[in-house]
Amino acid sequence: AMCGIVLFDSWPDAVASPAEALGRIVDGVVMVVKAEGYDVQIIQRAKEQLVKSGSTILGAVLSQVKVDLSDPLYYYYGAYPRR
């Protein structure tokens, strides 16, 4: 059977990791970045290393974001119908 999508998880690229080697053999990389985690410059450097090693960056996911329920934007987003 064939799979449409296969996900590989790797430890942080800001620390020495196999992400660069994996990035060369997969179709693309999605960076998962912890909100209020690493300094932005470290994340940019990690992205540059991945690109330099031949990885295709598909996008990024911001994780562990603290949502302020009093923020009007939260209510605006909540106004969209859920499917």
Side-chain angles (χ1 to χ4, degrees):
M2 295 186 64
C3 295
I5 296 175
V6 176
L7 299 175
F8 290 93
D9 187 14
S10 176
W11 48 83
D13 189 51
V15 183
S17 83
E20 291 176 31
L22 279 173
R24 288 192 294 267
I25 61 172
V26 297
D27 293 330
V29 173
V30 176
M31 294 181 67
V32 179
V33 180
K34 179 181 175 185
E36 301 179 30
Y38 290 106
D39 183 9
V40 173
Q41 294 169 343
I42 293 172
I43 297 163
Q44 288 173 334
R45 218 173 309 130
K47 177 192 168 267
E48 289 167 5
Q49 274 305 116
L50 287 166
V51 170
K52 193 185 300 183
S53 71
S55 301
T56 301
I57 305 293
L58 299 177
V61 174
L62 189 60
S63 70
Q64 299 182 15
V65 176
K66 294 178 185 158
V67 178
D68 181 6
L69 298 179
S70 65
D71 185 346
L73 186 59
Y74 175 78
Y75 291 103
Y76 181 75
Y77 174 77
Y80 288 102
R82 290 189 170 62
R83 297 179 186 191

